[in-house]
Amino acid sequence: MEKKCRNCIYGTIKSQLTKFDDKAIIFLEGEPLKNIYSIQDGYVKMSKFLDNGDEFIIGVLGPGDYIALLALLQDKEHYIASASCLSKVTLRVMEKQDVLSAYQSNVAFKDNCLKCAVTRSNLFHTQLQLSAQADVKEKIILILKNLSYKFGYIKDKRNIIELPFSKTVLANIINIRRETLSRHLSALQKANILKVEKNTYILNYVI
């Protein structure tokens, strides 16, 4: 799906490449929606900030993903979440009106945009809703299952998930403290459910 989206958009929309450093802020929630972005290289986190100031990460995007496309399709005037870099990032920057014009005039582009937007919108929200009543260990496994669709592969009947970000970011995605994550990861390893090697998570079964 990502490859089709990337191919169709570049042939119809004016754009320019822009590079961002690690931890750079691309835009903040509430700022006027001016541009749509396509990630060429690197990883970006989408987040909201709760009333108590805590960051709640709602998605991690990588090469081939769009940023702010969902807000555009929802006819929003402002960005609905903040975007910041988890690594050095190269983005293709497109003006929102150009993207909207292509969306309205190109049926294939419209269909692919909808698939991309709906998939990304539902993926994290659905997983987090399903895990709302689960205990912490179950939440960790559920989120790793979620992340395996983008960052995982199967080898020797085990699911290998290579995350391009730290355990602090993973803890924020699960909405728990970094120390709580470390404690439960240790328990899961002792139970032989998974093995952790830096930012690689090896589940001892195929999800």
Side-chain angles (χ1 to χ4, degrees):
M1 179 178 67
E2 291 174 354
K3 184 176 182 181
K4 290 180 180 178
C5 288
R6 292 166 67 184
N7 285 344
C8 69
I9 192 169
Y10 299 159
T12 58
I13 299 177
K14 295 179 181 179
S15 63
Q16 63 180 12
L17 292 179
T18 303
K19 295 182 182 295
F20 290 83
D21 290 330
D22 181 22
K23 299 181 181 179
I25 296 173
I26 301 169
F27 55 77
L28 294 173
E29 180 182 2
E31 291 182 348
L33 197 163
K34 296 181 179 179
N35 296 312
I36 309 302
Y37 305 85
S38 175
I39 302 175
Q40 304 299 291
D41 188 48
Y43 295 92
V44 173
K45 66 176 178 179
M46 305 300 299
S47 59
K48 288 179 172 288
F49 288 90
L50 307 179
D51 291 339
N52 62 5
D54 289 344
E55 181 184 28
F56 183 71
I57 298 176
I58 59 174
V60 176
L61 309 181
D65 285 329
Y66 294 130
I67 306 174
L69 176 62
L70 184 61
L72 177 68
L73 298 185
Q74 293 177 335
D75 199 28
K76 301 293 186 181
E77 294 294 328
H78 300 83
Y79 293 111
I80 58 178
S82 299
S84 56
C85 302
L86 292 169
S87 64
K88 290 185 176 181
V89 173
T90 301
L91 299 179
R92 190 174 292 275
V93 186
M94 301 157 284
E95 293 186 7
K96 70 174 186 179
Q97 189 56 50
D98 288 339
V99 176
L100 190 59
S101 295
Y103 176 81
Q104 293 171 339
S105 62
N106 186 321
V107 175
F109 175 60
K110 179 177 181 179
D111 289 343
N112 282 305
C113 283
L114 287 173
K115 290 177 183 176
C116 290
V118 170
T119 298
R120 187 162 72 242
S121 175
N122 290 338
L123 190 56
F124 269 80
H125 291 291
T126 299
Q127 201 68 44
L128 290 172
Q129 289 171 358
L130 288 173
S131 65
Q133 303 302 320
D135 63 27
V136 175
K137 292 188 183 67
E138 290 174 334
K139 286 183 180 181
I140 292 171
I141 296 299
L142 285 169
I143 295 301
L144 286 175
K145 176 182 177 180
N146 186 309
L147 292 169
S148 72
Y149 296 121
K150 180 179 289 291
F151 304 114
Y153 59 92
I154 296 171
K155 181 179 179 181
D156 298 329
K157 297 183 179 180
R158 297 187 299 174
N159 205 306
I160 315 297
I161 306 162
E162 297 179 345
L163 299 183
F165 45 79
S166 68
K167 290 181 178 62
T168 299
V169 174
L170 178 60
N172 286 337
I173 293 173
I174 304 170
N175 201 26
I176 59 177
R177 294 184 180 276
R178 171 68 168 77
E179 297 78 7
T180 303
L181 174 64
S182 295
R183 185 172 66 254
H184 285 284
L185 286 176
S186 296
L188 289 167
Q189 288 189 91
K190 288 181 180 178
N192 201 35
I193 294 173
L194 62 78
K195 182 179 180 181
V196 181
E197 298 176 351
K198 293 186 178 180
N199 292 326
T200 297
Y201 301 79
I202 305 171
L203 285 160
N204 292 322
Y205 58 90
V206 176
I207 302 176

